[in-house]
């Protein structure tokens, strides 16, 4: 009997990777050969595999273990020489990125649906990261998608994959299966980047923190680093045991799903610093005593103060942000005299800039911030950089935010999401909106007059590739703007995202309630896109 089986299969027509890989409901992944087809399509698209290394891990959600078992058996059959798997199948997305880079792996399979809920009827995802540790670029995801449409067989090794619950190396067919501590290498990297002694001294001085791991993957990482190595008080890390269904919650660190933390931070019992991360550990939520820091502001403030941390003491090479992210960071780049890059939504677009040494810090409005230490956004990294800054400046978060606004001006910013809109309705809205773009300049909506309107196209300065239709931008006279795009990560219906932003230089106007400060823009955005008219909704599902 042969050790490898070539199993005939038929293509599925819904395996197009989105913003963050292939993301579907668990029952979709449970269809016959669904997982196998996708993984084989990846292996068929990534070039010569012969004897190389593959990293495998996920955020521990329901179905993680089954898929890891299949992935190990298929990696052996496809000729990998070694797989590195996080113990128990656990690897945060940034930790997986680090392992790929550190071990010079061919790439990695990252199993997660990020901040989406988990469980037998909830979400699952498979993403391939390339040798630089970052999400596969469009060229590769297009090739993978094309392969899913023609696939007729997959290769799988016979027998059960080795146990992944004990650290150590086992042989499986011709391949080594190395089960590693998911935290060790990542924690070592963080110690290299940040001034742990200064942060330790901050905690020793009585500084308090609450970190909510949301029963997701960062629990073990945060416990080891914050409490174990940095001396934060026992109990500072909450909900630290990763659960297959995240305790029934959405592991999404925003003001809706991390409301308990938010309420605590606004109360008189607030610790000095509150933070949370998402399902797979790449997003962050930062809240000071009495003040929430928006991700766009956080990016700007981290960039402005990065020199407090040893890794960034020599200065930043450049800053990159996704197009819908506020322009707060642009002002920092301008002051520092460094490059500023505006990319489409999705971390994969930062990869080339980071690889080419053009950008050091990147961020998205959707709670993702990171640097060139890995090729993913990194939730705990953002928390540690904030702590490093606080340890050096010894001011409150609020004082740092107020100072930043006074120095640079404030970019009022908000995102309105309309979730689970019927796909046809959403498509009709966007095609009407795109048709209307040429007629918008010069038109007024309330006090706002449109200066420019376009559909964002990105020309990658490194490889010259072009990504079109990355979001509709309406720019008003005076610098305010509204951006409209469709989510590429949803798993049911369509999600319409509307991003609004207004710049306010006057410090006496820096403490207006955000929705109020943006009211004219919000009304203009609705008038332009006809959201109410198309969807019949009179308010967004989520406001952040
Ligand atoms: C969302 C965010 C985007 C992020 C992605 C993956 O994508 O908006 O910034 O990179 O999740 O975490 P979207 O659903 O908008 O396509
Ligand atoms: Zn995530």
């Amino acid at each position: 009997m042969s050790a490898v089986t070539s199993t005939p299969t038929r293509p599925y027509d819904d395996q197009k990777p989105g913003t963050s890989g292939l993301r579907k409901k668990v029952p979709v992944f449970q269809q016959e050969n669904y997982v196998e087809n996708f993984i084989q399509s990846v292996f068929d698209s990534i070039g010569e595999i012969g004897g190389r290394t593959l990293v495998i891990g996920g955020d521990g959600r329901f179905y993680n273990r089954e898929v890891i078992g299949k992935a190990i058996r298929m990696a052996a059959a496809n000729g990998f020489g070694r797989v590195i798997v996080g113990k128990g199948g656990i690897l945060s997305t940034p930790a997986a990125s680090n392992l790929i880079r550190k071990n010079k792996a061919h790439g990695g399979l990252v199993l997660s649906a990020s901040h989406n809920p988990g469980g037998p009827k909830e979400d699952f995802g498979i993403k391939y990261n390339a040798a630089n540790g970052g999400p596969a670029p469009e060229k590769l995801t297009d090739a993978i998608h094309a392969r899913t449409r023609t696939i007729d067989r997959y290769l799988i090794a016979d027998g059960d994959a080795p146990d992944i619950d004990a650290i150590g190396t086992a042989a499986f067919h011709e391949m080594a299966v190395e089960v590693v501590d998911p935290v060790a290498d990542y924690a070592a990297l963080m110690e290299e980047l940040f001034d742990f002694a200064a942060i330790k001294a901050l905690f020793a001085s009585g500084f308090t923190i609450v970190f909510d791991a949301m029963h997701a993957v960062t629990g073990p990482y945060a416990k080891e680093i914050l409490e174990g190595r940095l001396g934060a008080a026992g109990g500072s890390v909450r909900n630290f045991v990763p659960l297959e269904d995240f305790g029934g919650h959405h592991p999404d660190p925003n003001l809706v799903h991390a409301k308990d933390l938010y309420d605590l931070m606004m109360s008189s019992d607030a610790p000095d610093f509150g933070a949370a991360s998402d399902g797979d550990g790449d997003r962050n939520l930062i809240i000071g005593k009495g003040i929430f820091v928006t991700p766009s502001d956080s990016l700007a403030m981290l960039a402005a103060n990065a020199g407090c941390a040893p890794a960034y003491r020599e200065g930043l090479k450049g800053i990159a942000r996704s197009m819908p992210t506020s322009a707060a960071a642009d002002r920092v780049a301008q002051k520092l005299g460094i490059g500023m890059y505006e990319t489409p939504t999705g971390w994969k677009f930062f990869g080339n800039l980071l690889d080419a040494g053009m950008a050091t810090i990147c961020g998205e409005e959707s709670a993702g911030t990171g640097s060139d230490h890995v090729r993913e956004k990194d939730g705990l990294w953002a928390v540690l950089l904030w702590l490093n800054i606080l340890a050096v400046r010894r001011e409150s978060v609020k004082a740092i935010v107020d100072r930043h606004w006074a120095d640079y001006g404030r970019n009022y910013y908000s995102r309105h999401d309309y979730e689970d809109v019927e796909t046809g309705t959403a498509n009709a809205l966007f095609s009407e909106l795109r048709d209307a773009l040429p007629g918008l300049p010069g038109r007024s909506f309330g006090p706002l007059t449109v200066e420019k309107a376009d559909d964002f196209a990105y020309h990658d300065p490194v490889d010259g590739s072009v990504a079109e239709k990355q979001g509709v931008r309406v720019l008003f006279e005076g610098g305010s703007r509204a951006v409209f795009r469709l989510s590429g990560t949803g798993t049911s219906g369509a999600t319409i995202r509307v991003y609004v932003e207004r710049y306010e230089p006057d410090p006496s106007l820096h403490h207006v309630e955000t929705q109020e400060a943006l009211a004219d823009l919000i009304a203009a955005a609705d008038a332009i896109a006809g959201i109410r008219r198309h969807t019949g909704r009179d308010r967004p599902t989520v406001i952040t």
Side-chain angles (χ1 to χ4, degrees), residues 19-20 283 345-346 364 366 377 415 485 487-489 497:
T19 317
S20 314
R283 294 187 177 202
T345 294
E364 294 193 276
S366 53
K377 52 191 180 249
R415 186 177 96 186
R485 56 180 286 282
S487 156
T489 56
R497 302 203 197 283

Side-chain angles (χ1 to χ4, degrees), residues 114-115 278 280 282-283:
S114 189
H115 50 288
D278 71 330
D280 62 328
D282 56 359
R283 294 187 177 202

Side-chain angles (χ1 to χ4, degrees), residues 170-248:
F172 181 61
H173 298 264
E174 304 294 300
M175 187 177 80
V177 177
E178 203 175 311
V179 178
V180 300
D181 173 351
V183 177
D185 287 350
Y186 178 83
L189 175 63
M190 294 301 118
E191 284 211 43
E192 272 169 37
L193 301 178
F194 300 114
D195 187 344
F196 270 38
I199 304 174
K200 237 176 141 163
L202 178 72
F203 283 124
S205 75
F207 183 91
T208 50
I209 182 175
V210 168
F211 180 94
D212 188 347
M214 305 189 87
H215 287 302
V217 80
T218 45
Y221 295 84
K223 199 96 184 127
E224 166 64 20
I225 296 172
L226 297 175
E227 292 184 17
R229 301 195 187 193
L230 292 169
S236 297
V237 179
R238 301 193 176 167
N239 302 321
F240 58 85
V241 179
L243 299 176
E244 283 197 335
D245 67 349
F246 308 114

Side-chain angles (χ1 to χ4, degrees), residues 54-67:
L54 179 74
V55 170
I56 307 176
D59 63 12
R61 68 178 59 228
F62 184 86
Y63 212 45
N64 196 43
R65 282 175 175 271
E66 284 82 347
V67 174

Side-chain angles (χ1 to χ4, degrees), residues 327-503:
D330 302 31
R331 298 175 190 282
V332 176
Q334 202 174 13
K335 183 160 174 204
L336 295 174
I338 55 176
M340 178 75 224
Y341 303 92
E342 193 178 31
T343 59
T345 294
W347 207 260
K348 62 186 169 193
F349 292 101
F350 294 134
N352 279 344
L353 296 169
L354 294 167
D355 285 349
M358 294 164 78
T360 306
I361 286 192
C362 307
E364 294 193 276
E365 51 68 38
S366 53
T369 333
S371 87
D372 57 1
H373 68 291
V374 290
R375 291 295 180 273
E376 289 280 4
K377 52 191 180 249
D378 188 342
L380 259 174
W381 170 90
V383 172
L384 291 168
L385 182 48
W386 263 104
L387 289 173
N388 199 149
I389 293 165
L390 292 163
V392 171
R393 287 186 53 168
R394 295 285 177 138
E395 294 168 77
S396 68
V397 173
K398 182 155 189 343
I400 290 175
V401 170
D402 282 342
R403 181 78 249 160
H404 187 95
W405 288 340
D407 289 347
Y408 294 90
R410 175 171 181 186
N411 288 68
Y412 278 102
Y413 183 85
S414 182
R415 186 177 96 186
H416 289 198
D417 294 331
Y418 296 81
E419 292 176 352
D420 213 353
V421 174
E422 199 259 316
T423 312
T425 305
N427 290 339
L429 183 153
F430 271 88
S431 85
E432 224 174 81
L433 177 60
R434 289 197 159 98
D435 288 347
L437 290 181
L440 285 178
R443 278 186 61 191
S444 292
F445 297 87
L448 295 159
T449 304
V450 177
E451 188 178 294
K452 216 178 121 189
D454 69 2
D455 201 345
F456 179 56
Y458 179 61
H459 298 259
D460 188 310
V462 179
D463 67 12
S465 62
V466 180
E468 281 175 329
K469 294 198 164 185
Q470 297 297 319
V472 168
R473 303 189 284 191
V474 179
L475 204 74
F476 300 92
E477 284 169 8
S480 293
R481 62 172 193 159
V483 171
F484 307 84
R485 56 180 286 282
L486 277 175
S487 156
T489 56
T491 53
S492 76
T495 295
I496 299 169
R497 302 203 197 283
V498 183
Y499 313 77
V500 284
E501 172 179 6
R502 177 169 83 78
Y503 178 63

